[in-house]
Amino acid sequence: MEREHDTRPVRSPIWSSNIALLGVALGGLVAGLLLYLVGGRGSAEFVWGFATLPVLLSLLVQIVTSLRRGDAGLDIIAALSMSAALAFGESLAGNVVALMYAGGQYLENYAEGRARREMTALLGRVARTVMRHGSGGLEEVPIETVVQGDTLLIRQGEVLPVDGTIASDSAMIDTSALTGEALPVTLARHDEALSGTTAIGASFDLVALRPAADSAYAAIVRLVEAAQNSKAPAVRLADRYALWFLALTLLLSGGAWIWTGDPIRALAVLVVATPCPLILAVPVAIIAGISRAAKLGVLIKGGGALEALGRARIAVLDKTGTLTHGHAELSQIWAAPGFQADEILRLAASLDQASTHVMADALIQAAQARSLRLSTPTDINETAGAGLVGTVDGHVVAVGGSAFARGQLKPGARIWKPGFPGSAATIDIVIDGVLAGVVAMSDPLRADATTVIQRLRSAGISRIVLATGDRAAVAQPVVRLLAIDELRADLTPQDKVDVVIAARSAGPVMMVGDGVNDAPALAAADVGVAMGARGAAASSETADVVLLVDRIDRLADAIGIAHRSAKIALQSVVVGLGLSILAMIAAALGYLPPLQGALLQEAIDVAVILNALRALRA
């Protein structure tokens, strides 16, 4: 299969500009030092001043652009320090500040590029063509022509271009690009495989479940692009700190000048006040946290979502598709006297091959799991939402709910139910006018449901509410088993919104869901989390956080990452600004000349940025 584009990194104009400015500042500093060593002090001063000007002019353009948007950025202090250095004849100090600022911008871009590596790797994996089985054999076709039901050949090493079900006996898949799992998984016939994963075993056939444009992978790519274009509120919060920090800087520098009459004291304060810890540390830590979560299969749509996830204290959880798998499975079958359970299931599943109802698919899978031979039904008549009747191997078979089944019984035939719990959904099977059996269906809990509830509480979630559209009788066993604090059942989409709004009085609310009916509540919550691997597109587009892998335990991992990223960002800011303020006081008292102050501030900046990058690690 061809690839849509080259996956090699492309340097943006901003990246190139930062490299050029860094090169000018560094080259000017080195050239000036060489001239100074050979006795050309005047020439050295000129070169240092000349190398400062491009950085200063670029910075002034950024400041004007920010002021037009209404942002009073902390870059003003850096511009003041460079301007004052040139005005007072301290060109070497100005060159060092210029190098510090250009270097900080370069480090920020480097950190951002490294942090996005796991996310942008997805964009280069989109295939353009695929091998499709046709009447004339295999043919290579554009993926845009693939429709539901097409059978595709997936060869070893190829990336699955669409979501589909395995049509061969088995398939070995590397899911690490989506889930972060190091070990491959082996899928059996009829198992679902997601686009964007890689075939690492023998070739196999895949039946497309949906077109490529609607596949899980295409949706993930769109979400990645949206996440990359977002700006963290934490960065805007850092900008708001500019006012008081700028006021403190001007107070100290102006006070030192007025008290001593020495303008160099004021310059020294400005030089060490350049607040790169605040400008760079917060976004670097936030982007690093988003990247770390993406590597685990959790897409966080920007820094605001990461912060909200870390602040959440109340969790409102949907049941179906979130705590459960979201699809029916046969849990028990009752056979009337004279009938065998397997034969009842075989006849019912054979008839259900003609139905698209979700319960029909569950019966067929149960029969296939028992290796039952399915026959071809005839004379089929389906009543939408109620049931269907037809002929299988000479028997008139009807499958459906109780009301539908009563209409298929012979006169005088009894209809009754075995002792299934009230929470079970049941299907009646009538054979030749007699109630032959009743099947109980259930939506089983995820294997990690109990663990994730415990981990959510450990991560700071103080209250967990189960909000579901199911009947209370169906949801009560889940509440008891998982020790959930509150159950709200029989909810409409608007009811779920009301539950979220009511829960907000006790703290920030996280809503977790997967269906279209959950989208309004996801939007109403402080942070919405969608089960994106199997959930509806509407929920994924509305949510702030999307689980790209069908594992809810990754939500607890993401909350831990959010806490750690916020902690690292705050640590970098507090330590960095604290050291800068101490250096400002020392400069105001005359203990730190401009050049030494600039070098000290450079060391502080590098330290806080490297500390912020710790959010990338586990």
Side-chain angles (χ1 to χ4, degrees):
M1 282 183 283
E2 299 177 11
R3 298 287 180 251
E4 184 174 354
H5 52 72
D6 192 349
T7 61
R8 290 174 296 183
V10 178
R11 302 304 189 193
S12 68
I14 294 177
W15 175 277
S16 300
S17 174
N18 286 331
I19 291 179
L21 291 175
L22 179 60
V24 169
L26 181 59
L29 180 63
V30 173
L33 289 174
L34 292 175
L35 288 171
Y36 185 85
L37 291 175
V38 298
R41 180 182 178 90
S43 299
E45 294 284 352
F46 174 80
V47 170
W48 290 328
F50 183 81
T52 304
L53 283 175
V55 180
L56 176 58
L57 292 174
S58 174
L59 182 53
L60 289 174
V61 171
Q62 294 181 37
I63 291 172
V64 171
T65 303
S66 298
L67 290 176
R68 286 178 177 174
R69 294 196 307 262
D71 296 335
L74 291 167
D75 293 342
I76 293 174
I77 300 173
L80 284 174
S81 62
M82 278 186 268
S83 301
L86 294 180
F88 297 144
E90 293 284 345
S91 56
L92 177 56
N95 195 169
V96 172
V97 173
L99 178 62
M100 174 181 63
Y101 185 81
Q105 294 296 303
Y106 173 83
L107 282 174
E108 179 183 17
N109 281 325
Y110 170 77
E112 184 174 337
R114 178 185 171 188
R116 293 179 188 271
R117 184 171 55 201
E118 294 296 334
M119 299 169 69
T120 55
L122 289 169
L123 302 177
R125 296 168 55 84
V126 182
R128 296 181 59 189
T129 62
V130 64
M131 301 301 296
R132 181 173 63 187
H133 290 280
S135 57
L138 283 172
E139 55 180 347
E140 187 172 9
V141 298
I143 63 167
E144 293 82 6
T145 65
V146 174
V147 298
Q148 180 180 0
D150 282 352
T151 301
L152 312 176
L153 174 65
I154 307 299
R155 295 168 292 192
Q156 185 175 13
E158 290 184 340
V159 176
L160 275 62
V162 297
D163 302 335
T165 55
I166 305 300
S168 301
D169 291 336
S170 64
M172 184 170 291
I173 303 293
D174 176 7
T175 64
S176 59
L178 298 185
T179 68
E181 290 285 357
L183 298 177
V185 296
T186 300
L187 302 179
R189 186 182 295 270
H190 305 301
D191 284 346
E192 183 175 345
L194 293 179
S195 54
T197 55
T198 304
I200 59 174
S203 301
F204 62 89
D205 288 337
L206 182 79
V207 178
L209 286 175
R210 54 191 68 89
D214 298 330
S215 69
Y217 186 71
I220 289 169
V221 170
R222 289 192 294 270
L223 291 170
V224 167
E225 292 172 332
Q228 289 179 333
N229 293 327
S230 65
K231 180 184 180 184
V235 179
R236 294 192 291 270
L237 182 64
D239 290 339
R240 289 199 295 272
Y241 286 148
L243 296 178
W244 71 261
F245 193 81
L246 178 59
L248 176 63
T249 300
L250 294 178
L251 178 63
L252 284 175
S253 61
W257 191 350
I258 293 171
W259 184 263
T260 65
D262 183 4
I264 302 303
R265 293 276 188 99
L267 172 60
V269 173
L270 290 174
V271 165
V272 296
T274 306
C276 287
L278 193 55
I279 296 173
L280 302 180
V282 174
V284 168
I286 292 295
I287 294 169
I290 291 173
S291 173
R292 179 62 192 163
K295 192 172 183 179
L296 295 178
V298 183
L299 180 61
I300 301 177
K301 300 180 183 179
L306 185 75
E307 292 183 347
L309 189 63
R311 291 195 306 266
R313 293 296 175 265
I314 312 298
V316 178
L317 308 179
D318 177 46
K319 181 182 76 69
T320 306
T322 301
L323 294 177
T324 67
H325 288 283
H327 56 81
E329 290 185 5
L330 188 151
S331 61
Q332 191 174 354
I333 184 168
W334 169 85
F339 293 90
Q340 297 295 322
D342 278 359
E343 180 63 11
I344 294 170
L345 178 60
R346 187 187 74 82
L347 292 174
S350 296
L351 178 62
D352 270 343
Q353 292 177 108
S355 175
T356 58
H357 195 278
V358 63
M359 292 294 192
D361 185 59
L363 283 182
I364 293 170
Q365 290 187 21
Q368 291 173 337
R370 299 187 184 197
S371 300
L372 301 179
R373 179 189 59 82
L374 301 186
S375 302
T376 302
T378 59
D379 305 323
I380 300 157
N381 183 15
E382 182 169 8
T383 302
L388 73 164
V389 62
T391 301
V392 180
D393 293 342
H395 297 283
V396 178
V397 180
V399 179
S402 294
F404 180 82
R406 288 190 182 98
Q408 312 304 321
L409 295 174
K410 295 188 298 187
R414 293 179 58 194
I415 181 168
W416 56 286
K417 295 282 188 184
F420 292 142
S423 61
T426 59
I427 299 173
D428 291 351
I429 302 169
V430 176
I431 300 176
D432 296 327
V434 177
L435 179 62
V438 179
V439 173
M441 310 297 291
S442 65
D443 183 8
L445 279 175
R446 294 175 181 270
D448 55 357
T450 302
T451 302
V452 79
I453 294 297
Q454 296 170 349
R455 293 186 61 194
L456 287 177
R457 296 191 187 279
S458 299
I461 301 297
S462 59
R463 183 170 181 79
I464 299 176
V465 180
L466 183 64
T468 178
D470 287 343
R471 294 175 291 111
V474 175
Q476 279 289 355
V478 176
V479 173
R480 288 193 297 267
L481 184 62
L482 300 182
I484 289 173
D485 300 305
E486 180 183 356
L487 169 64
R488 299 294 301 274
D490 297 302
L491 300 179
T492 65
Q494 180 58 51
D495 293 334
K496 289 189 177 183
V497 172
D498 294 339
V499 169
V500 168
I501 294 174
R504 190 176 288 127
S505 61
V509 177
M510 173 181 66
M511 168 69 193
V512 187
D514 75 318
V516 174
N517 62 327
D518 296 319
L522 291 171
D526 295 283
V527 57
V529 180
M531 304 294 295
R534 296 179 182 272
S539 62
S540 293
E541 292 172 3
T542 304
D544 305 293
V545 178
V546 182
L547 302 185
L548 305 180
V549 56
D550 196 28
R551 287 181 53 179
I552 193 174
D553 64 322
R554 291 296 169 86
L555 176 57
D557 295 330
I559 294 176
I561 289 170
H563 287 161
R564 185 166 184 266
S565 297
K567 181 179 179 180
I568 289 174
L570 181 62
Q571 179 189 77
S572 297
V573 168
V574 170
V575 173
L577 288 186
L579 291 174
S580 294
I581 291 172
L582 290 176
M584 289 163 61
I585 294 173
L589 295 175
Y591 296 114
L592 197 60
L595 178 58
Q596 288 85 339
L599 295 173
L600 175 61
Q601 185 60 52
E602 177 104 21
I604 294 173
D605 295 341
V606 172
V608 297
I609 291 171
L610 292 177
N611 182 65
L613 282 172
R614 290 193 300 114
L616 280 172
R617 299 197 299 270

PDB file of all heavy atoms in Angstrom, residues 13 43 69 92 156 159 162 186 235 282 306 310 334 337 375 400 434 472 496 529 533 574 607 612:
ATOM      1  N   PRO A  13       8.206  27.438   9.182  1.00  0.00           N
ATOM      2  CA  PRO A  13       8.893  28.733   9.096  1.00  0.00           C
ATOM      3  C   PRO A  13       9.295  29.256  10.464  1.00  0.00           C
ATOM      4  O   PRO A  13      10.352  29.886  10.606  1.00  0.00           O
ATOM      5  CB  PRO A  13       7.830  29.616   8.436  1.00  0.00           C
ATOM      6  CG  PRO A  13       6.973  28.673   7.645  1.00  0.00           C
ATOM      7  CD  PRO A  13       6.933  27.420   8.464  1.00  0.00           C
ATOM      8  N   SER A  43      35.431  46.902  17.975  1.00  0.00           N
ATOM      9  CA  SER A  43      34.787  46.034  16.985  1.00  0.00           C
ATOM     10  C   SER A  43      33.934  44.964  17.656  1.00  0.00           C
ATOM     11  O   SER A  43      32.839  44.618  17.168  1.00  0.00           O
ATOM     12  CB  SER A  43      35.847  45.369  16.103  1.00  0.00           C
ATOM     13  OG  SER A  43      36.598  46.337  15.400  1.00  0.00           O
ATOM     14  N   ARG A  69      -3.797  41.642  20.117  1.00  0.00           N
ATOM     15  CA  ARG A  69      -4.768  40.627  20.569  1.00  0.00           C
ATOM     16  C   ARG A  69      -5.228  40.889  21.988  1.00  0.00           C
ATOM     17  O   ARG A  69      -6.061  40.157  22.510  1.00  0.00           O
ATOM     18  CB  ARG A  69      -4.143  39.227  20.507  1.00  0.00           C
ATOM     19  CG  ARG A  69      -3.819  38.744  19.111  1.00  0.00           C
ATOM     20  CD  ARG A  69      -3.589  37.235  19.129  1.00  0.00           C
ATOM     21  NE  ARG A  69      -2.594  36.860  20.118  1.00  0.00           N
ATOM     22  CZ  ARG A  69      -1.316  36.635  19.857  1.00  0.00           C
ATOM     23  NH1 ARG A  69      -0.881  36.771  18.609  1.00  0.00           N
ATOM     24  NH2 ARG A  69      -0.475  36.297  20.802  1.00  0.00           N
ATOM     25  N   LEU A  92      27.580  43.389  25.284  1.00  0.00           N
ATOM     26  CA  LEU A  92      27.831  41.976  25.574  1.00  0.00           C
ATOM     27  C   LEU A  92      26.677  41.392  26.379  1.00  0.00           C
ATOM     28  O   LEU A  92      26.187  40.288  26.083  1.00  0.00           O
ATOM     29  CB  LEU A  92      29.156  41.808  26.315  1.00  0.00           C
ATOM     30  CG  LEU A  92      29.491  40.364  26.752  1.00  0.00           C
ATOM     31  CD1 LEU A  92      29.484  39.416  25.559  1.00  0.00           C
ATOM     32  CD2 LEU A  92      30.834  40.313  27.472  1.00  0.00           C
ATOM     33  N   GLN A 156       1.436  -8.951   5.458  1.00  0.00           N
ATOM     34  CA  GLN A 156       2.337  -8.743   6.581  1.00  0.00           C
ATOM     35  C   GLN A 156       3.046  -7.389   6.449  1.00  0.00           C
ATOM     36  O   GLN A 156       3.560  -7.039   5.398  1.00  0.00           O
ATOM     37  CB  GLN A 156       3.369  -9.862   6.649  1.00  0.00           C
ATOM     38  CG  GLN A 156       4.275  -9.769   7.883  1.00  0.00           C
ATOM     39  CD  GLN A 156       5.206 -10.965   7.983  1.00  0.00           C
ATOM     40  OE1 GLN A 156       5.357 -11.713   7.051  1.00  0.00           O
ATOM     41  NE2 GLN A 156       5.817 -11.143   9.135  1.00  0.00           N
ATOM     42  N   VAL A 159      -0.459  -1.577   7.294  1.00  0.00           N
ATOM     43  CA  VAL A 159      -1.333  -0.920   8.257  1.00  0.00           C
ATOM     44  C   VAL A 159      -2.771  -1.099   7.807  1.00  0.00           C
ATOM     45  O   VAL A 159      -3.097  -0.900   6.629  1.00  0.00           O
ATOM     46  CB  VAL A 159      -0.995   0.585   8.363  1.00  0.00           C
ATOM     47  CG1 VAL A 159      -1.968   1.294   9.288  1.00  0.00           C
ATOM     48  CG2 VAL A 159       0.432   0.765   8.852  1.00  0.00           C
ATOM     49  N   VAL A 162      -8.899   0.325   7.169  1.00  0.00           N
ATOM     50  CA  VAL A 162     -10.274   0.533   7.623  1.00  0.00           C
ATOM     51  C   VAL A 162     -10.535  -0.358   8.834  1.00  0.00           C
ATOM     52  O   VAL A 162      -9.797  -1.318   9.092  1.00  0.00           O
ATOM     53  CB  VAL A 162     -11.307   0.196   6.513  1.00  0.00           C
ATOM     54  CG1 VAL A 162     -11.141   1.110   5.311  1.00  0.00           C
ATOM     55  CG2 VAL A 162     -11.184  -1.270   6.089  1.00  0.00           C
ATOM     56  N   THR A 186      -3.466 -11.503  19.195  1.00  0.00           N
ATOM     57  CA  THR A 186      -3.937 -12.453  18.195  1.00  0.00           C
ATOM     58  C   THR A 186      -5.456 -12.420  18.167  1.00  0.00           C
ATOM     59  O   THR A 186      -6.100 -12.656  19.190  1.00  0.00           O
ATOM     60  CB  THR A 186      -3.444 -13.870  18.500  1.00  0.00           C
ATOM     61  OG1 THR A 186      -2.004 -13.873  18.515  1.00  0.00           O
ATOM     62  CG2 THR A 186      -3.929 -14.848  17.450  1.00  0.00           C
ATOM     63  N   VAL A 235      -1.235  28.481  29.624  1.00  0.00           N
ATOM     64  CA  VAL A 235      -0.348  29.452  28.995  1.00  0.00           C
ATOM     65  C   VAL A 235      -0.951  30.845  29.114  1.00  0.00           C
ATOM     66  O   VAL A 235      -0.276  31.818  29.399  1.00  0.00           O
ATOM     67  CB  VAL A 235      -0.108  29.076  27.520  1.00  0.00           C
ATOM     68  CG1 VAL A 235       0.791  30.104  26.851  1.00  0.00           C
ATOM     69  CG2 VAL A 235       0.507  27.682  27.421  1.00  0.00           C
ATOM     70  N   VAL A 282       5.465  26.179  31.653  1.00  0.00           N
ATOM     71  CA  VAL A 282       4.085  25.702  31.677  1.00  0.00           C
ATOM     72  C   VAL A 282       3.706  25.011  30.368  1.00  0.00           C
ATOM     73  O   VAL A 282       3.262  23.859  30.390  1.00  0.00           O
ATOM     74  CB  VAL A 282       3.111  26.852  32.010  1.00  0.00           C
ATOM     75  CG1 VAL A 282       1.670  26.375  31.895  1.00  0.00           C
ATOM     76  CG2 VAL A 282       3.379  27.389  33.404  1.00  0.00           C
ATOM     77  N   LEU A 306      -6.363  18.885  29.821  1.00  0.00           N
ATOM     78  CA  LEU A 306      -5.447  18.207  30.744  1.00  0.00           C
ATOM     79  C   LEU A 306      -5.597  18.761  32.156  1.00  0.00           C
ATOM     80  O   LEU A 306      -5.664  18.004  33.130  1.00  0.00           O
ATOM     81  CB  LEU A 306      -4.008  18.373  30.259  1.00  0.00           C
ATOM     82  CG  LEU A 306      -2.947  17.613  31.055  1.00  0.00           C
ATOM     83  CD1 LEU A 306      -3.003  16.130  30.730  1.00  0.00           C
ATOM     84  CD2 LEU A 306      -1.556  18.146  30.766  1.00  0.00           C
ATOM     85  N   GLY A 310      -7.182  16.863  35.623  1.00  0.00           N
ATOM     86  CA  GLY A 310      -6.490  16.778  36.901  1.00  0.00           C
ATOM     87  C   GLY A 310      -7.291  17.358  38.060  1.00  0.00           C
ATOM     88  O   GLY A 310      -7.115  16.952  39.206  1.00  0.00           O
ATOM     89  N   TRP A 334     -32.860 -21.528  28.528  1.00  0.00           N
ATOM     90  CA  TRP A 334     -33.789 -22.496  29.133  1.00  0.00           C
ATOM     91  C   TRP A 334     -34.514 -23.243  28.028  1.00  0.00           C
ATOM     92  O   TRP A 334     -35.031 -22.628  27.086  1.00  0.00           O
ATOM     93  CB  TRP A 334     -34.791 -21.767  30.028  1.00  0.00           C
ATOM     94  CG  TRP A 334     -35.928 -22.639  30.480  1.00  0.00           C
ATOM     95  CD1 TRP A 334     -35.949 -23.476  31.563  1.00  0.00           C
ATOM     96  CD2 TRP A 334     -37.205 -22.759  29.859  1.00  0.00           C
ATOM     97  NE1 TRP A 334     -37.156 -24.113  31.654  1.00  0.00           N
ATOM     98  CE2 TRP A 334     -37.953 -23.693  30.611  1.00  0.00           C
ATOM     99  CE3 TRP A 334     -37.783 -22.180  28.734  1.00  0.00           C
ATOM    100  CZ2 TRP A 334     -39.257 -24.048  30.278  1.00  0.00           C
ATOM    101  CZ3 TRP A 334     -39.075 -22.545  28.393  1.00  0.00           C
ATOM    102  CH2 TRP A 334     -39.796 -23.464  29.169  1.00  0.00           C
ATOM    103  N   PRO A 337     -39.400 -28.936  28.120  1.00  0.00           N
ATOM    104  CA  PRO A 337     -39.324 -30.404  28.017  1.00  0.00           C
ATOM    105  C   PRO A 337     -39.512 -30.858  26.571  1.00  0.00           C
ATOM    106  O   PRO A 337     -40.385 -30.366  25.849  1.00  0.00           O
ATOM    107  CB  PRO A 337     -40.474 -30.881  28.918  1.00  0.00           C
ATOM    108  CG  PRO A 337     -40.643 -29.772  29.914  1.00  0.00           C
ATOM    109  CD  PRO A 337     -40.361 -28.518  29.156  1.00  0.00           C
ATOM    110  N   SER A 375     -28.244 -23.258   9.355  1.00  0.00           N
ATOM    111  CA  SER A 375     -28.921 -23.521   8.080  1.00  0.00           C
ATOM    112  C   SER A 375     -29.411 -22.215   7.477  1.00  0.00           C
ATOM    113  O   SER A 375     -29.474 -21.185   8.140  1.00  0.00           O
ATOM    114  CB  SER A 375     -30.104 -24.477   8.312  1.00  0.00           C
ATOM    115  OG  SER A 375     -29.663 -25.688   8.897  1.00  0.00           O
ATOM    116  N   GLY A 400     -38.271 -13.608  19.175  1.00  0.00           N
ATOM    117  CA  GLY A 400     -38.613 -12.231  19.513  1.00  0.00           C
ATOM    118  C   GLY A 400     -38.988 -12.072  20.965  1.00  0.00           C
ATOM    119  O   GLY A 400     -38.762 -12.964  21.797  1.00  0.00           O
ATOM    120  N   VAL A 434     -44.953 -23.853  19.447  1.00  0.00           N
ATOM    121  CA  VAL A 434     -44.762 -24.179  20.867  1.00  0.00           C
ATOM    122  C   VAL A 434     -43.573 -23.371  21.405  1.00  0.00           C
ATOM    123  O   VAL A 434     -42.534 -23.258  20.730  1.00  0.00           O
ATOM    124  CB  VAL A 434     -44.490 -25.685  21.052  1.00  0.00           C
ATOM    125  CG1 VAL A 434     -44.219 -26.012  22.531  1.00  0.00           C
ATOM    126  CG2 VAL A 434     -45.676 -26.498  20.548  1.00  0.00           C
ATOM    127  N   ALA A 472     -33.581   0.770  36.305  1.00  0.00           N
ATOM    128  CA  ALA A 472     -32.855   0.658  37.570  1.00  0.00           C
ATOM    129  C   ALA A 472     -32.548  -0.799  37.891  1.00  0.00           C
ATOM    130  O   ALA A 472     -31.481  -1.115  38.429  1.00  0.00           O
ATOM    131  CB  ALA A 472     -33.668   1.295  38.699  1.00  0.00           C
ATOM    132  N   LYS A 496     -29.367  13.427  31.723  1.00  0.00           N
ATOM    133  CA  LYS A 496     -27.940  13.262  32.011  1.00  0.00           C
ATOM    134  C   LYS A 496     -27.260  14.620  32.167  1.00  0.00           C
ATOM    135  O   LYS A 496     -26.388  14.794  33.022  1.00  0.00           O
ATOM    136  CB  LYS A 496     -27.258  12.451  30.903  1.00  0.00           C
ATOM    137  CG  LYS A 496     -27.643  10.974  30.903  1.00  0.00           C
ATOM    138  CD  LYS A 496     -26.787  10.182  29.931  1.00  0.00           C
ATOM    139  CE  LYS A 496     -27.121   8.693  30.000  1.00  0.00           C
ATOM    140  NZ  LYS A 496     -26.258   7.883  29.121  1.00  0.00           N
ATOM    141  N   VAL A 529     -15.181  12.807  28.757  1.00  0.00           N
ATOM    142  CA  VAL A 529     -14.303  11.720  28.308  1.00  0.00           C
ATOM    143  C   VAL A 529     -15.137  10.752  27.482  1.00  0.00           C
ATOM    144  O   VAL A 529     -16.153  10.235  27.960  1.00  0.00           O
ATOM    145  CB  VAL A 529     -13.672  10.982  29.500  1.00  0.00           C
ATOM    146  CG1 VAL A 529     -12.764   9.858  29.008  1.00  0.00           C
ATOM    147  CG2 VAL A 529     -12.904  11.942  30.390  1.00  0.00           C
ATOM    148  N   ALA A 533     -12.823   4.360  20.981  1.00  0.00           N
ATOM    149  CA  ALA A 533     -12.481   3.185  20.180  1.00  0.00           C
ATOM    150  C   ALA A 533     -13.725   2.553  19.557  1.00  0.00           C
ATOM    151  O   ALA A 533     -13.702   2.107  18.420  1.00  0.00           O
ATOM    152  CB  ALA A 533     -11.749   2.151  21.038  1.00  0.00           C
ATOM    153  N   VAL A 574       7.477  27.969  40.143  1.00  0.00           N
ATOM    154  CA  VAL A 574       7.788  28.474  41.478  1.00  0.00           C
ATOM    155  C   VAL A 574       9.300  28.551  41.693  1.00  0.00           C
ATOM    156  O   VAL A 574       9.837  29.579  42.140  1.00  0.00           O
ATOM    157  CB  VAL A 574       7.130  27.585  42.554  1.00  0.00           C
ATOM    158  CG1 VAL A 574       7.648  27.955  43.938  1.00  0.00           C
ATOM    159  CG2 VAL A 574       5.617  27.746  42.501  1.00  0.00           C
ATOM    160  N   ALA A 607      17.390  24.963  33.183  1.00  0.00           N
ATOM    161  CA  ALA A 607      17.044  24.031  34.258  1.00  0.00           C
ATOM    162  C   ALA A 607      15.533  23.804  34.332  1.00  0.00           C
ATOM    163  O   ALA A 607      15.066  22.662  34.447  1.00  0.00           O
ATOM    164  CB  ALA A 607      17.568  24.557  35.592  1.00  0.00           C
ATOM    165  N   ALA A 612      10.637  20.578  33.177  1.00  0.00           N
ATOM    166  CA  ALA A 612       9.301  20.431  32.601  1.00  0.00           C
ATOM    167  C   ALA A 612       9.218  19.228  31.675  1.00  0.00           C
ATOM    168  O   ALA A 612       8.179  18.570  31.574  1.00  0.00           O
ATOM    169  CB  ALA A 612       8.919  21.707  31.844  1.00  0.00           C
TER     170      ALA A 612
END
